[in-house]
Amino acid sequence: MLIVTNADRRALAFCSSGARLWFARHHLDWTQFLLHGLPADAFEAIGDAFALEIIAQARKRVADGQ
């Protein structure tokens, strides 16, 4: 299972305040995301540009062995 992490958000230079609002709008747990990440499935279900871009970044991170 692919886990999207805060490191993926930072790699894309998405600001914390904007991301936090996005998480609240989509009923995702910001604290869980910061501490442990969230499954990519949660982002895929949303399917907007932010969700798809952060999933792509998570896949790149995993492919790069990080």
Side-chain angles (χ1 to χ4, degrees):
M1 171 187 346
L2 179 64
I3 300 295
V4 177
T5 68
N6 193 44
D8 300 317
R9 180 199 58 82
R10 286 192 314 266
L12 295 171
F14 291 148
C15 73
S16 291
S17 59
R20 186 178 307 189
L21 291 171
W22 185 89
F23 272 68
R25 188 170 42 246
H26 294 288
H27 308 288
L28 294 175
D29 188 330
W30 176 251
T31 302
Q32 175 70 20
F33 175 72
L34 293 177
L35 295 175
H36 307 289
L38 292 172
D41 295 352
F43 294 88
E44 287 174 350
I46 296 164
D48 69 6
F50 174 82
L52 298 177
E53 195 168 349
I54 201 167
I55 292 167
Q57 174 57 38
R59 287 187 177 125
K60 180 182 181 306
R61 174 181 44 82
V62 170
D64 291 346
Q66 298 176 2

